[in-house]
Amino acid sequence: MATALERLKELLGEPACWGWARPRLWGAAEEHLGVRLPADYTSFLDLYGPGAFDGFLGMSRPVDGTPEELERLWPRSGGKSDLHLTDPDRYPFPFHPRPGGLIEWGGEEDGTVYYLLPEEPDPADWRVVVETGDGEWHEIPGPVTGFLLTLAEEPHRLDFLGRYRPGTEIRYHHRSQEAADA
């Protein structure tokens, strides 16, 4: 049986121009975050690079591993880290860098944000949490590639993402780092 990543590769095709793994960059990211990231997530982004899944769910990854870049991708100060404490009804989960805090991995133009929920000891068991642009929260079994596969093949299971409907041909739209930083 094919893994979710293998099935996504069948659906998306081989990437046109990315496809390079840089363990040093993920090591720097994991040191910055203080946790090991799920291998399926890093493998997907090593293969496809920064871009947008089917043109709507934007995903970034470190490309130079500098402290400034890592802080931009996963802020440790300011940001959302204390929102769970100040408004737990609106923010039912803690945010990174709090222990077990949500780690952002993607987002949409409408304000929907995708997170990893690092509650399990094995990152392969982490769940996906989605905060919709309307402020609703949804917890979905992971891993990230399993979530993306469900999005591509069974979007009705994720009906809270009402505006997304895959076309006849799913694509991953690569973007250069310059465009990702803009």
Side-chain angles (χ1 to χ4, degrees):
M1 180 172 204
T3 67
L5 181 57
E6 291 166 340
R7 180 68 185 124
L8 284 168
K9 284 170 49 177
E10 291 172 12
L11 289 171
L12 299 170
E14 290 294 323
C17 60
W18 198 260
W20 51 274
R22 297 290 191 263
R24 175 189 65 80
L25 297 176
W26 290 118
E30 290 170 342
E31 183 176 327
H32 174 81
L33 290 164
V35 295
R36 196 179 76 219
L37 291 165
D40 77 300
Y41 164 71
T42 60
S43 294
F44 180 87
L45 285 171
D46 279 346
L47 184 62
Y48 288 97
F53 183 82
D54 212 22
F56 93 103
L57 191 167
M59 298 172 71
S60 295
R61 59 156 288 159
V63 295
D64 62 24
T66 63
E68 296 79 19
E69 177 191 50
L70 297 172
E71 184 65 20
R72 180 181 51 78
L73 290 171
W74 299 291
R76 287 191 294 196
S77 57
K80 298 180 174 182
S81 65
D82 290 331
L83 293 176
H84 175 66
L85 300 173
T86 59
D87 191 357
D89 291 332
R90 169 69 180 93
Y91 300 98
F93 297 93
F95 291 91
H96 172 76
R98 297 238 177 254
L102 297 175
I103 299 169
E104 187 174 333
W105 63 266
E108 297 179 43
E109 290 179 4
D110 73 352
T112 298
V113 183
Y114 298 82
Y115 301 97
L116 297 167
L117 179 59
E119 288 184 330
E120 303 299 327
D122 184 348
D125 297 330
W126 290 359
R127 299 175 66 77
V128 170
V129 172
V130 180
E131 175 189 12
T132 68
D134 297 331
E136 296 177 3
W137 294 86
H138 302 272
E139 201 172 324
I140 303 103
V144 170
T145 53
F147 175 81
L148 294 174
L149 188 58
T150 299
L151 193 59
E153 295 186 325
E154 302 177 85
H156 61 278
R157 292 183 50 207
L158 305 170
D159 59 353
F160 59 87
L161 296 175
R163 70 179 190 85
Y164 174 72
R165 293 294 174 257
T168 55
E169 200 169 312
I170 305 291
R171 291 275 181 235
Y172 189 82
H173 304 272
H174 177 267
R175 73 174 179 268
S176 68
Q177 188 57 35
E178 292 79 29
D181 288 339

